[in-house]
Amino acid sequence: DVKVTQSSRYLVKRTGEKVFLECVQDMDHENMFWYRQDPGLGLRLIYFSYDVKMKEKGDIPEGYSVSREKKERFSLILESASTNQTSMYLCASSPPPGQPLHEYFGPGTRLTVT
Amino acid sequence: AQTVTQSQPEMSVQEAETVTLSCTYDTSESDYYLFWYKQPPSRQMILVIRQEAYKQQNATENRFSVNFQKAAKSFSLKISDSQLGDAAMYFCAYSRGTSYGKLTFGQGTILTVHP
């Protein structure tokens, strides 16, 4: 069965801290994504990666960076956490072209920055 | 830029009844996909149904079906014989055909199912 896991369900950090959110998928997918979910705004794409060490900015990359050293792992980094980054963060992966397009999501990490 | 709009923040339905969730989108692309995702209170987002833009036939998955109106850029989800387990946040989403699967989401609709 397909699985995307995220390192924490809930996280509380202080303003200015460096925060790492980890995501692992076991489906050998090339494409991985980080979204943030806010009420009334739906999900918005922060960054995505289409291969190891390859990344592209999404719609709201400011204040975030990512790392993908291995195919199965995609990390989201908040270099200096701020209160406006309090949100739900969802990781996803999708198969390469040629397979039915379908993003598989992790359970999400609820991050609170105080 | 593509946009997806869900104009119904909340909807409710009686168990065993039918409910339709609305979605409109804006794109200049001809090759794209549309999706409905379900996010139950446990938060794991799951795919409900997918529609390829080049297919004229509306997609169906058991009790879930869509009404895809390409010219009107409308993509509604019909849930028949609603069940308590259908209660969730529903997101409409769009993906360009060559975008590695990047999704643009609507704002979401909270569906409540009354017994």
Side-chain angles (χ1 to χ4, degrees):
Chain A
D1 202 12
V2 161
K3 201 160 231 183
V4 179
T5 56
Q6 295 182 228
S7 50
S8 305
R9 293 295 292 266
Y10 299 93
L11 209 51
V12 179
K13 295 292 181 181
R14 294 196 174 173
T15 303
E17 278 193 83
K18 190 168 186 175
V19 182
F20 292 86
L21 303 183
E22 305 286 338
C23 175
V24 177
Q25 51 95 2
D26 65 358
M27 297 159 285
D28 202 35
H29 286 167
E30 277 84 5
N31 307 319
M32 296 188 74
F33 310 84
W34 275 106
Y35 295 90
R36 71 176 274 177
Q37 180 179 359
D38 299 289
L41 297 177
L43 281 74
R44 293 175 292 167
L45 182 64
I46 304 171
Y47 266 97
F48 77 100
S49 169
Y50 51 92
D51 203 348
V52 175
K53 297 189 187 293
M54 306 302 285
K55 60 188 179 186
E56 282 197 19
K57 294 179 180 179
D59 300 318
I60 51 165
E62 296 78 19
Y64 303 95
S65 62
V66 290
S67 172
R68 191 158 181 210
E69 296 295 321
K70 293 186 177 182
K71 191 176 186 180
E72 67 271 18
R73 188 179 298 269
F74 191 34
S75 302
L76 180 69
I77 304 158
L78 287 67
E79 296 290 343
S80 178
S82 64
T83 55
N84 62 14
Q85 292 178 311
T86 291
S87 186
M88 172 73 77
Y89 290 88
L90 293 170
C91 175
S93 70
S94 71
Q99 298 185 30
L101 184 56
H102 175 182
E103 281 195 30
Y104 296 84
F105 284 85
T109 296
R110 170 73 68 186
L111 173 67
T112 302
V113 183
T114 61
Chain B
Q2 294 80 21
T3 59
V4 178
T5 302
Q6 293 177 249
S7 57
Q8 305 156 317
E10 296 182 25
M11 291 285 284
S12 65
V13 64
Q14 290 293 131
E15 202 174 1
E17 298 289 305
T18 295
V19 64
T20 298
L21 308 184
S22 301
C23 173
T24 58
Y25 61 96
D26 188 24
T27 184
S28 58
E29 305 286 336
S30 58
D31 178 21
Y32 57 89
Y33 297 80
L34 295 164
F35 306 84
W36 280 98
Y37 278 88
K38 171 185 177 182
Q39 187 180 44
S42 65
R43 297 182 299 168
Q44 192 97 28
M45 188 95 74
I46 57 173
L47 178 68
V48 175
I49 201 163
R50 171 181 52 231
Q51 174 80 44
E52 291 87 342
Y54 67 86
K55 290 187 178 179
Q56 293 190 347
Q57 188 171 6
N58 289 326
T60 62
E61 287 288 341
N62 301 314
R63 297 181 295 107
F64 298 87
S65 62
V66 298
N67 183 5
F68 175 44
Q69 300 288 325
K70 192 172 184 179
K73 295 181 180 173
S74 170
F75 183 61
S76 60
L77 175 70
K78 185 170 85 171
I79 306 173
S80 304
D81 185 25
S82 297
Q83 300 175 0
L84 295 177
D86 295 333
M89 174 80 86
Y90 286 82
F91 290 99
C92 178
Y94 163 99
S95 178
R96 213 175 64 195
T98 56
S99 66
Y100 301 103
K102 290 184 294 179
L103 294 173
T104 300
F105 284 85
Q107 300 88 337
T109 298
I110 299 172
L111 177 66
T112 302
V113 181
H114 298 289

